[in-house]
């Protein structure tokens, strides 16, 4: 693939951007799928989203300098961004050698349970058990133990639609495996199909806000990162790679997946604020008043219940760009449900197609969390599009991205055969060329896959070391 034949997904995102297309020589996408054991064009779609993100960063750069820069994305490198852990994140051992970090026992256990299981009606349901409290709710619905065999037996006693609804009613997460056609005929799938993959809506007028001085596209942009576990953190990571001041806000008592925190915190700062405490909630209010972007990655309605819904935030800070990252999107019958990458794969048809294409004899998940990463790339793209609009016409903006919309975008790119010998990993030389060393972190000396979006004048990079959760004060850096 070259810049002459950019993916359809790129054109779809440029239509959402709504400006004159960049010159043909501005964007170069090299390489092609398959990279994974999957018929889906995971690498090419990720590369298209990253290229679009680069164009949005270039729009900000042009507002600053009047100039544009060259953008390149390699498909294999873009695909590899969705490889978590393993040889894409390494730690220096006592002998000074970098070694792959193995998945934790908790992660391996979650993966063993979070799979499609056959229901009583012959259909398949994927329960999700990523965090301890959510696992407990699923197990209580199924009346089973925390083993694959027991979960399989528990699912087998339910009709698929009834179980999907019962787990949703328990405020837990699951998805019935549907075909792509069934999803588009479902009221929720039909709702999403009628919307752009990324929604950017101006919801209120406010003064034009020129960009603050700086030598990066997002210099001076202040981002509040209230997210956990992959898609939302990836969105904020993208902002940090373009020079934004990104402050992660969480609370000490909230459960986390340590490996995911480690690998999505590069270039950010992190503080603890418990919004159940009035004084700490007031501190978050003060941060909002001078923020530019607020990223909400929690279950729909959760932050609103604590007084941090989008409307109130925009009242506190006219001109705010509010980014919502969730599973099911901005509306529709499933809008209030929580969900994860695997749930989105199940309901939208990806699990079905992956199983058929690989001859598995049952629905299968793709080898990587591609919905998470694709959604994160799209959120960064949309936030920067909104920042450019605010700099030219003012306004407060709502941005909506979702795992299901990303899954649907991926499926619109079509399928490719001949993936049986796909490598699934970068070669050691490819990894070394892309790797970034981050020393003296709370996680040890790390070597990890660095930013893969290439920009000729403002290379994407991490401007600070990976922080410990809660290690910063709740305040902004000087502009």
């Amino acid at each position: 693939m070259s810049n002459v034949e950019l993916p359809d997904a790129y054109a779809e995102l440029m239509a959402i951007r709504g400006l004159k297309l960049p010159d043909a020589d501005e964007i170069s996408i090299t390489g092609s799928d398959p990279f994974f054991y999957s018929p889906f064009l995971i690498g090419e779609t990720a590369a298209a989203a990253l290229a679009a993100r680069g164009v949005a960063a270039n729009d900000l750069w042009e507002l600053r300098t009047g100039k544009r820069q060259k953008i390149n994305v390699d498909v294999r490198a873009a695909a590899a961004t969705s490889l978590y852990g393993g040889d894409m994140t390494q730690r220096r051992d006592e002998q000074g050698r970098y070694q792959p970090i193995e998945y934790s026992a908790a992660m391996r256990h979650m993966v063993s349970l979070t799979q499609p299981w056959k229901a009583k009606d012959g259909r398949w349901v994927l329960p999700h058990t990523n965090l301890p409290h959510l696992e407990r709710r699923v197990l209580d619905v199924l009346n089973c133990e925390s083993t694959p065999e027991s979960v399989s037996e528990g699912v087998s006693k339910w009709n698929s639609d009834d179980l999907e609804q019962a787990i949703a009613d328990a405020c837990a997460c699951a998805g019935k495996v549907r075909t792509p056609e069934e999803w588009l005929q479902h009221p929720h799938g039909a709702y999403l199909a009628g919307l752009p993959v990324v929604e950017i809506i101006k919801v209120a007028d406010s003064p034009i806000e020129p960009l603050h001085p700086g030598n990066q596209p997002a210099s001076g942009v202040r981002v509040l990162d209230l997210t956990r576990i992959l898609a939302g953190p990836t969105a904020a990571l993208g902002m940090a790679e373009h020079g934004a001041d990104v402050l992660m806000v969480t609370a000490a008592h909230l459960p986390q997946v340590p490996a995911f925190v480690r690998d999505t915190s590069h270039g950010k700062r992190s503080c603890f604020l418990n919004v159940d405490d009035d004084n700490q909630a007031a501190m978050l209010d003060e941060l909002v008043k001078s923020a530019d972007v607020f990223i909400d990655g929690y279950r729909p309605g959760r932050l609103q219940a604590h007084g941090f819904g989008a409307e109130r935030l925009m009242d506190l800070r006219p001109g705010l760009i509010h980014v919502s990252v969730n599973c099911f999107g901005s509306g529709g019958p499933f809008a209030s449900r929580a969900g994860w990458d695997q749930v989105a794969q199940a309901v939208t048809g990806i699990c079905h197609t992956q199983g058929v294409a690989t001859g598995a004899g049952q629905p299968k998940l793709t080898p990587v969390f591609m919905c998470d990463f694709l959604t994160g790339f799209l959120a960064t793209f949309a936030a920067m599009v909104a920042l450019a609009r605010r700099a030219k016409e003012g306004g407060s903006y709502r941005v909506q991205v979702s795992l299901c919309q990303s899954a649907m975008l991926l499926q619109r790119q079509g399928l490719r055969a001949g993936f049986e010998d796909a490598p699934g990993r970068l070669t050691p030389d490819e990894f070394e060329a892309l790797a970034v060393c981050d020393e003296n972190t709370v996680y040890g000396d790390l070597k990890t896959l660095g930013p893969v979006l290439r920009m000729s004048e403002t290379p994407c990079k991490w401007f600070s070391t990976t922080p410990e959760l809660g290690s910063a004060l709740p305040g902004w850096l000087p502009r």
Side-chain angles (χ1 to χ4, degrees):
M1 179 180 298
S2 70
N3 59 325
V4 177
E5 44 184 330
L6 294 171
D8 291 344
Y10 172 81
E12 192 170 330
L13 295 173
M14 288 300 97
I16 291 169
R17 170 175 166 263
L19 299 174
K20 176 181 175 290
L21 288 177
D23 292 342
D25 64 349
E26 181 173 313
I27 310 296
S28 174
I29 297 179
T30 55
S32 62
D33 280 309
F35 184 76
F36 294 114
Y37 184 65
S38 174
F40 294 105
L41 305 186
I42 295 172
E44 292 178 25
T45 309
L50 283 168
R53 192 187 103 182
V55 171
N58 231 358
D59 292 341
L60 297 179
W61 187 243
E62 186 175 23
L63 287 173
R64 293 181 182 279
T65 67
K67 301 176 182 178
R68 299 186 72 84
Q69 49 187 306
K70 305 297 185 184
I71 296 166
N72 172 260
V73 188
D74 179 75
V75 168
R76 289 169 64 89
T81 57
S82 54
L83 285 166
Y84 249 85
D87 50 5
M88 294 298 101
T89 303
Q90 302 177 8
R91 181 186 291 120
R92 197 198 309 263
D93 64 17
E94 294 179 354
Q95 288 72 45
R97 298 169 300 186
Y98 282 99
Q99 303 288 350
I101 302 175
E102 298 297 329
Y103 286 120
S104 68
M107 176 65 70
R108 292 194 299 272
H109 180 67
M110 182 279 290
V111 170
S112 74
L113 300 185
T114 304
Q115 298 290 335
W117 305 102
K118 198 169 189 177
K120 183 169 64 175
D121 56 5
R123 301 300 298 267
W124 298 78
V125 176
L126 182 144
H128 203 288
T129 61
N130 196 26
L131 295 173
H133 67 292
L134 297 178
E135 177 184 350
R136 184 69 264 159
R137 292 171 188 173
V138 167
L139 298 180
D140 286 348
V141 170
L142 295 175
N143 190 28
C144 71
E145 302 299 319
S146 185
T147 67
E149 297 78 13
S150 189
V151 169
S152 176
E153 182 181 359
V155 172
S156 72
K157 297 176 181 177
W158 286 79
N159 287 323
S160 55
D161 287 321
D162 294 340
L163 179 56
E164 184 181 52
Q165 185 63 52
I167 291 178
D169 291 342
C171 292
C173 304
K176 175 182 175 178
V177 174
R178 295 172 174 85
T179 68
E181 296 76 19
E182 286 174 334
W183 177 244
L184 293 176
Q185 293 166 5
H186 186 278
H188 198 89
Y191 169 81
L192 293 180
L195 296 171
V197 63
V198 173
E199 297 176 65
I200 308 172
I201 302 171
K202 184 178 181 180
V203 295
D205 292 324
S206 66
I208 289 173
E209 297 190 37
L211 297 173
H212 291 270
N215 57 8
Q216 297 294 320
S219 291
V221 174
R222 292 171 169 174
V223 179
L224 283 169
D225 175 12
L226 278 81
T227 70
R228 286 183 294 170
I229 307 179
L230 292 188
T234 298
L237 178 62
M239 296 300 300
E241 290 176 357
H242 292 292
D245 179 13
V246 179
L247 181 63
M248 296 187 290
V249 180
T250 187
H253 68 278
L254 291 177
Q256 303 277 358
V257 178
F260 293 168
V261 175
R262 178 195 68 214
D263 289 347
T264 60
S265 297
H266 311 296
K268 304 178 184 179
R269 296 179 299 118
S270 172
C271 73
F272 286 147
L273 288 176
N274 183 355
V275 296
D276 290 323
D277 179 282
D278 289 345
N279 290 330
Q280 294 184 50
M283 295 172 73
L284 182 55
D285 275 354
E286 290 305 307
L287 289 170
V288 170
K289 290 176 183 178
S290 53
D292 297 290
V293 179
F294 186 104
I295 308 178
D296 176 356
Y298 285 82
R299 174 192 290 269
R302 290 304 299 153
L303 287 182
Q304 183 174 0
H306 289 279
F308 292 93
E311 290 185 5
R312 178 176 176 273
L313 293 174
M314 291 176 182
D315 286 341
L316 279 174
R317 199 306 194 194
L320 185 69
I321 293 157
H322 183 276
V323 181
S324 175
V325 181
N326 59 44
C327 184
F328 288 104
S330 59
F334 288 176
S336 64
R337 295 186 181 187
W340 307 85
D341 179 287
Q342 299 94 324
V343 173
Q345 289 195 41
V347 300
T348 62
I350 285 180
C351 271
H352 169 83
T353 302
Q354 179 77 16
V356 170
T358 59
Q362 68 169 75
K364 297 291 289 185
L365 293 165
T366 63
V368 286
F369 305 132
M370 81 291 177
C371 295
D372 275 321
F373 291 93
L374 190 53
T375 302
F377 299 157
L378 295 176
T380 308
F381 158 76
M384 290 193 293
V385 169
L387 282 167
R389 291 180 185 175
R390 189 184 73 174
K392 290 184 287 188
E393 62 183 79
S396 302
Y397 294 83
R398 290 212 65 181
V399 170
Q400 303 268 2
V401 296
S402 71
L403 302 175
C404 284
Q405 280 281 29
S406 295
M408 294 164 72
L409 175 69
L410 179 66
Q411 291 179 95
R412 286 197 290 275
Q413 309 316 301
L415 305 174
R416 185 164 297 168
F419 55 83
E420 293 77 12
D421 297 323
R425 284 289 188 274
L426 297 175
T427 67
D429 286 345
E430 287 174 324
F431 173 70
E432 288 296 329
L434 295 164
V436 172
C437 290
D438 193 2
E439 298 181 345
N440 300 315
T441 79
V442 67
Y443 307 100
D445 292 343
L446 302 178
K447 180 188 286 187
T448 186
L449 183 68
V452 302
L453 170 62
R454 301 303 199 198
M455 301 189 70
S456 60
E457 305 301 320
T458 59
C460 295
K461 60 182 180 179
W462 302 324
F463 293 85
S464 59
T465 194
T466 305
E468 181 178 5
L469 271 180
S471 58
L473 295 174
W476 296 113
L477 298 176
R479 281 177 166 142

